[in-house]
Amino acid sequence: MKKILIVDDEPNIVMSLEYTFKKKNFEVFIARDGSEALQIAEEEIPDVVLLDIMMPNVDGYETLKEIKNNKNLKNTKVVFLSAKNKATDIEKGLSMGADKYLTKPFSVKKLVAEINELLN
């Protein structure tokens, strides 16, 4: 069973994604900010992290940097899922090491397809 960590501070997005990925047979973990995400990632070693950028405490950019610097998480894929949709935002996220960058609002069907593609 693949593990996915959903990191977002918007409850509606979290609930929708949690439901979707549980139906697709993922083991789902939830974090509301970057510091919680790093703690869970270290314990669970997820296959993929769905990461918002604009969050309280530790933002998505800092979280990505910490994940990339953690040797235990070197095989973990990171997908930014953000309302920041300018080309410069997308470029920054990808250049920092994100495997994909999807913008909100998003198609759940497309998101699931992108995640499956990353993991195969």
Side-chain angles (χ1 to χ4, degrees):
M1 185 181 260
K2 296 286 186 187
K3 294 181 179 184
I4 188 166
L5 171 57
I6 300 167
V7 189
D8 202 308
D9 58 337
E10 293 179 45
N12 292 345
I13 289 176
V14 170
M15 284 187 331
S16 161
L17 292 174
E18 179 181 23
Y19 174 78
T20 299
F21 283 102
K22 279 185 174 173
K23 262 182 46 184
K24 300 288 181 192
N25 294 320
F26 279 79
E27 189 175 354
V28 179
F29 300 92
I30 308 290
R32 306 282 177 209
D33 65 38
S35 56
E36 192 181 354
L38 293 167
Q39 187 180 348
I40 293 169
E42 183 68 41
E43 289 169 17
E44 298 296 337
I45 317 291
D47 297 287
V48 66
V49 177
L50 268 183
L51 186 58
D52 188 19
I53 293 175
M54 296 180 289
M55 296 181 295
N57 304 323
V58 180
D59 72 9
Y61 293 128
E62 187 59 36
T63 305
L64 174 64
K65 201 162 74 177
E66 292 293 326
I67 289 170
K68 291 297 173 184
N69 288 332
N70 184 324
K71 66 181 185 318
N72 295 330
L73 300 173
K74 69 177 184 293
N75 296 322
T76 298
K77 304 290 185 193
V78 179
V79 177
F80 271 135
L81 193 56
S82 178
K84 292 172 78 77
N85 60 6
K86 293 192 182 92
T88 53
D89 296 322
I90 296 168
E91 209 173 278
K92 178 179 179 181
L94 294 172
S95 72
M96 289 181 71
D99 296 282
K100 297 232 181 237
Y101 192 116
L102 302 172
T103 57
K104 295 176 186 175
F106 57 92
S107 149
V108 172
K109 194 174 178 180
K110 182 179 187 317
L111 175 63
V112 169
E114 295 277 359
I115 299 295
N116 285 331
E117 184 183 303
L118 260 185
L119 296 176
N120 290 330

